Amino acid sequence: MSYETAVSRMFALGHELAQTPSHKFDLDHMRVLLDGLDHPERRFPSVLIAGTNGKGSTAATLASILRASGLKTGLYTSPHLVRINERIRINGEEISDDAFAELHGKIDHVADTLVENTRLPWHPSFFEMMTAIAFEHFAREKVDLAVLEVGMGGRLDATNVVDPRVSVITDISLDHQKYLGNTVGEIAHEKVGIIRPGGAVVTLPQQPEANDVIGNAILDSEARAVNAVTYVPPVSPASSDYFVMGIEPGKPALSRYPLQVLAREILVETPLVGRHQLRNVALAIAAAVELNQQGFSGITADSIERGIRETHWPGRFQVIPARARWPEIVIDVAHNPAGAWALRSALSERYEDRPLIFVFGAMRDKAISEMAEILFPLAGRVIVTRPENPRAASPEEVQEAGSRTGAEIELAEDVRHAIERARELSGEKSVLVITGSIYLVGEVMGRLGAQV
């Protein structure tokens, strides 16, 4: 089977949220599939990361730390920006086209056989297939450790079949209510499903409703809580002498601050910009320290410092400098209200006195009105468009959702027209902000040739 055929067959399964919750969320089906593959998920140790916001940034930072520590490191994330291969990486390298095609063919054949034998009621979903491909790839390549980002929820997510060395829970807020529940507490109940009896759980204090659920789950499981607060720097005005969130001319943005880690002071320099990212970096550091204490002795203060500095996680406040005929561009996947607030904070800190032009698109099942109310007032002009995704809201729907913000909103029929119009409107000091859905961001990055 060719790579192109494999990818086409994957996408023919439909979007991972397009099917009914009962069809997608059934760990028994995932376990049957993995049993047919001789359980690749048992052949490597792992870290499992769940949450609403920040889990991808935390996973990318932790994976970079592990790689800098000399460990052969797998990283599984979702969704992708431009190519499906981005979801599965070892030591920063995407799975090759040939390996993806070969593994897809093998797992697809096993799945068909299981359906024929009535061990499975239907073919695995897109996300179940992707997860099985990742597990088989990591097992074959004998990774020392795999960092696994939960796709959605936690309790019934396809990734939640591993026995993680560490479970990490990032910030929890409202998102995917159709599948996970209508309150922060209900959603937190799904996220804490990744906690194992007697296991280590890395987390930070957050909303009281989420704290209650996380705390009770840790007590009920007799798990061991690892508080990452130690690794969050102070961000009050008094901390300005050593906390820097800025940019040197021609250099990428950085957050820079000192921390005590493994009995030594390190200088954290993270390319993940925004105060919300301080929490994600802290979670990654705490998980790395916990792994060090579990016997991964190659993880040191030096490797933690180097790994943070070398983290690459595109599409998260990624800045493309101004160039001929193009203004400075900020790309960020703020796809829910919590993400929108984080983006607003980062934009306000960095571009307080510069005019902003937004290109915005979102999925129909997202809280578009709330995101618009948070973000649109920052912009001199908002161009709304539709990403290439069947779940995408139409430009007219987004315009209606943002009508109460008072922002000047234009409609563009597709992403190409949207970015061309934004470029026409840009002045010398303008900043073009591409945000909303990860699918919009990925499409724009593909068109602009931005680094993924």
Side-chain angles (χ1 to χ4, degrees), residues 4 12 23 38 68 149 159 199 204 298-299 325 371 380 432 444:
E4 291 76 14
H23 192 150
D38 194 25
E149 178 193 0
T159 58
L204 280 167
I299 301 170
R325 299 176 59 238
M371 291 191 288
L432 174 54
V444 171

Side-chain angles (χ1 to χ4, degrees), residues 64-108:
S64 185
I65 290 170
L66 300 179
R67 181 183 174 193
S69 303
L71 295 166
K72 188 173 185 179
T73 305
L75 176 63
Y76 179 52
T77 58
S78 62
H80 59 276
L81 286 166
V82 179
R83 298 181 79 235
I84 200 169
N85 307 50
E86 295 166 33
R87 297 173 180 238
I88 303 170
R89 299 173 183 259
I90 295 178
N91 283 350
E93 295 294 324
E94 297 174 4
I95 185 173
S96 70
D97 292 357
D98 289 345
F100 185 91
E102 193 268 322
L103 287 172
H104 174 272
K106 172 186 175 178
I107 295 169
D108 197 47

Side-chain angles (χ1 to χ4, degrees), residues 414-428:
D414 56 33
V415 171
R416 180 176 67 85
H417 286 93
I419 58 177
E420 285 297 330
R421 178 57 177 156
R423 183 168 68 168
E424 290 173 5
L425 294 170
S426 298
E428 183 180 349

Side-chain angles (χ1 to χ4, degrees), residues 331-345:
I331 300 174
D332 190 84
V333 293
H335 61 277
N336 56 35
W341 277 117
L343 174 59
R344 176 172 176 153
S345 174

Side-chain angles (χ1 to χ4, degrees), residues 293-310:
Q293 293 170 354
Q294 289 188 21
F296 290 90
S297 58
I299 301 170
T300 65
D302 285 339
S303 68
I304 290 172
E305 181 179 67
R306 187 168 67 256
I308 294 170
R309 187 172 59 246
E310 294 173 352

Side-chain angles (χ1 to χ4, degrees), residues 50-68:
T52 305
N53 290 91
K55 59 189 176 185
S57 297
T58 303
T61 303
L62 178 57
S64 185
I65 290 170
L66 300 179
R67 181 183 174 193

Side-chain angles (χ1 to χ4, degrees), residues 208-220:
E209 199 175 351
N211 287 339
D212 287 346
V213 174
I214 295 168
N216 287 331
I218 289 172
L219 289 172
D220 292 344

